[in-house]
């Protein structure tokens, strides 16, 4: 296995510790579309091309992101850039709210055509809220594996108990749960206490950290220039807690990121991401989002060094209230 690739759970998917989150490609549609600038296909292609050139080999999207817009943008980029399917890993998610598990099978062909692929590498249940049970959802997911429409099953925003249940249900079909995608960063560390991290380690499930930059706060740019917050859409400000009190509360952590960044001659974002992908051994990989190619390049470079155990311990200490 190449040095910097990690196995996702017990699967044969090998991913770079940093992937690319594609929520930002919602292209103006839906609530997620309102949060970000409406990127055109050329800009999206450049972000994806930059990611690939700088060592990222996987992309995380969802049906929910612009109701298919993000999946379509990703599919189009792969076509435009002529990227071979076996060089990258694609993860997307089924949206469970106000639906039953039967819609997993009735909507899968839409997902495949939006992404312009024959098979989805990792198909995730977006969260645990649905009219159907986890058992029915896993039965439907297993059916898709059997049909060759998806390779592996993941979940997202599942508690330790729900994760364990999904894992057990999949075992009835000879399958294993590969991943749980959760909010994890220096500003959101509850998985270390609520059993999710321990359960993942025990069952050999990877955790995919979403919002690993604290939805932009850990870049330090909103601390350096608070005016920037007013330039973001109100939904985005709400989503990312871009407000004075959060800036104050997180300023110590961001200050420490800046000091360590100076030592490595990197950016605070890279220190924040390096902590996410190294503080828990190989269990956690991350999918930062980007609205500019420069973000993607900066974030991928977080894979080029490794914080010392002392630095990780210090970051744990200064972020312990989160
Ligand atoms: N499973 C779930 O329920 C769930 C929920 C949320 C997100 N996600 C996934 O996780 C991904 C990332 O999460 P996220 O977008 O919430 O948070 P994030 O990755 O912590 O923050 C992304 C934002 O930070 C800023 N940024 C990123 N890299 C930067 C850099 N190097 N320098 C300066 N600014 C930078 C950008 O803000 P500006 O665009 O404002 O400049 C960017 O939009 C999403 O794309 C999505 O795939 C999953």
């Amino acid at each position: 296995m190449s040095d910097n690739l990690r196995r996702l759970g017990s699967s044969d998917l090998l991913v770079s510790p940093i992937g690319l989150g594609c929520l930002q490609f919602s292209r103006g549609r839906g609530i997620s579309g309102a949060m970000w600038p409406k990127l055109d296909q050329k800009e999206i292609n450049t972000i994806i091309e930059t990611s690939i050139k700088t060592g990222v080999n996987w992309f995380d999207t969802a049906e929910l992101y612009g109701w298919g817009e993000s999946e379509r943008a990703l599919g189009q980029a792969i076509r435009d850039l002529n990227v071979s399917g076996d060089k990258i890993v694609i993860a997307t998610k089924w949206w469970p709210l106000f639906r039953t598990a039967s819609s997993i099978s009735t909507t899968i062909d839409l997902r495949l055509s939006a992404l312009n692929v024959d098979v989805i590498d990792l198909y995730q249940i977006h969260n645990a809220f649905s009219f159907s049970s986890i058992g029915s959802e896993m039965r439907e997911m297993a059916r898709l594996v059997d049909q060759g429409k998806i390779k592996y099953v993941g979940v997202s925003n599942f508690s330790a108990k729900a994760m364990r249940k999904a894992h057990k249900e999949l075992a009835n079909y000879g399958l294993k749960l590969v991943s749980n995608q959760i909010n994890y960063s220096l500003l959101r560390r509850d998985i270390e206490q609520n059993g999710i991290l321990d359960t993942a380690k025990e069952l050999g499930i990877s955790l995919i950290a979403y919002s690993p930059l604290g939805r932009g706060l850990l870049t330090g740019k909103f601390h350096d220039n608070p005016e920037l917050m007013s330039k973001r859409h109100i939904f985005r400000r709400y989503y990312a807690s871009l407000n004075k009190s959060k800036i104050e509360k997180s300023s110590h952590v961001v200050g420490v990121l800046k000091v360590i960044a100076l030592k490595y001659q990197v950016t605070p974002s890279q220190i924040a991401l390096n902590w996410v992908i190294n503080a828990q051994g190989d269990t956690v990989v991350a999918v930062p989002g980007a609205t500019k190619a420069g973000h993607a390049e900066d974030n991928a470079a977080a894979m080029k060094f490794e914080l010392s155990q002392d630095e990780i311990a210090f970051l744990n200490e200064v972020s312990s209230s989160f």
Side-chain angles (χ1 to χ4, degrees):
M1 192 188 310
S2 163
D3 264 4
N4 53 0
L5 295 183
R6 293 187 187 172
R7 189 175 297 282
L8 215 49
S10 54
S11 76
D12 65 0
L13 300 175
L14 300 179
V15 297
S16 45
I18 301 278
L20 178 73
C22 298
L23 171 65
Q24 279 73 2
F25 305 158
S26 299
R27 298 199 291 204
R29 196 156 172 220
I31 293 179
S32 58
M35 287 199 285
W36 316 98
K38 195 173 171 186
L39 301 176
D40 64 28
Q41 190 64 44
K42 208 171 147 217
E43 291 170 297
I44 292 171
N45 288 2
T46 310
I47 293 172
I48 290 175
E49 188 175 30
T50 303
S51 298
I52 294 172
K53 278 190 178 152
T54 51
V56 163
N57 78 340
W58 64 295
F59 301 90
D60 174 70
T61 180
E63 174 183 19
L64 181 71
Y65 302 167
W67 288 115
E69 280 302 316
S70 167
E71 291 177 324
R72 279 186 284 279
L74 177 59
Q76 184 66 48
I78 292 163
R79 211 168 11 211
D80 291 349
L81 299 169
N82 213 2
V83 181
S84 152
D86 59 0
K87 295 271 184 293
I88 55 166
V89 169
I90 299 221
T92 190
K93 313 179 194 84
W94 171 74
W95 181 247
L97 205 62
F98 300 119
R99 276 175 158 174
T100 59
S102 62
S103 99
I104 293 175
S105 288
T106 55
T107 56
I108 188 66
D109 289 341
L110 287 171
R111 311 276 59 79
L112 290 166
S113 70
L115 286 161
N116 191 37
V117 293
D118 297 328
V119 54
I120 290 164
D121 296 304
L122 177 69
Y123 202 37
Q124 305 155 98
I125 306 280
H126 206 139
N127 62 54
F129 306 107
S130 171
F131 288 142
S132 288
S133 64
I134 291 175
S136 327
E137 289 175 353
M138 293 305 127
R139 187 188 61 229
E140 290 300 313
M141 292 296 246
R143 188 172 293 166
L144 298 188
V145 174
D146 195 44
Q147 291 169 351
K149 293 189 173 184
I150 67 171
K151 286 189 187 160
Y152 294 102
V153 182
V155 294
S156 175
N157 299 303
F158 270 40
S159 67
K161 192 173 162 204
M163 231 167 113
R164 206 176 273 286
K165 171 81 176 153
H167 196 259
K168 192 165 166 235
E169 291 292 335
L170 283 173
N172 293 329
Y173 308 95
L175 301 174
K176 283 187 175 165
L177 183 68
V178 162
S179 57
N180 187 10
Q181 186 172 141
I182 34 79
N183 193 342
Y184 186 51
S185 73
L186 282 162
L187 299 181
R188 183 72 195 267
R189 294 182 51 202
D190 50 347
I191 62 156
E192 295 173 29
Q193 306 299 331
N194 63 16
I196 290 180
L197 182 63
D198 289 342
T199 305
K201 286 186 173 170
E202 179 196 326
L203 301 178
I205 294 168
S206 288
L207 295 177
I208 300 175
Y210 73 73
S211 305
L213 288 167
R215 304 190 163 167
L217 278 164
L218 290 166
T219 66
K221 66 186 179 187
F222 298 107
H223 294 74
D224 292 345
N225 181 8
E227 269 294 290
L228 261 188
M229 293 192 285
S230 60
K231 299 201 164 51
R232 297 298 184 266
H233 191 279
I234 188 166
F235 291 169
R236 170 77 204 291
R237 274 184 269 155
Y238 179 76
Y239 168 75
S241 303
L242 298 179
N243 57 54
K244 202 169 159 240
S245 95
K246 190 71 186 242
I247 290 284
E248 276 167 17
K249 199 170 170 227
S250 54
S251 62
H252 184 48
V253 174
V254 169
V256 171
L257 290 178
K258 286 181 178 173
V259 171
I260 303 178
L262 267 183
K263 176 184 157 193
Y264 285 91
Q265 293 290 295
V266 298
T267 61
S269 308
Q270 288 169 17
I271 302 296
L273 291 174
N274 200 286
W275 176 87
V276 171
I277 60 175
N278 289 315
Q280 308 301 338
D282 277 356
T283 301
V284 182
V285 290
V287 284
T291 50
K292 293 189 170 73
H295 295 165
E297 186 174 0
D298 190 34
N299 297 341
M303 297 188 281
K304 287 191 180 157
F305 63 99
E306 200 167 321
L307 291 168
S308 71
Q309 285 307 314
D310 282 352
E311 286 157 347
I312 287 176
F314 186 46
L315 284 164
N316 287 345
E317 194 186 315
V318 296
S319 63
S320 58
S321 62
F322 295 96

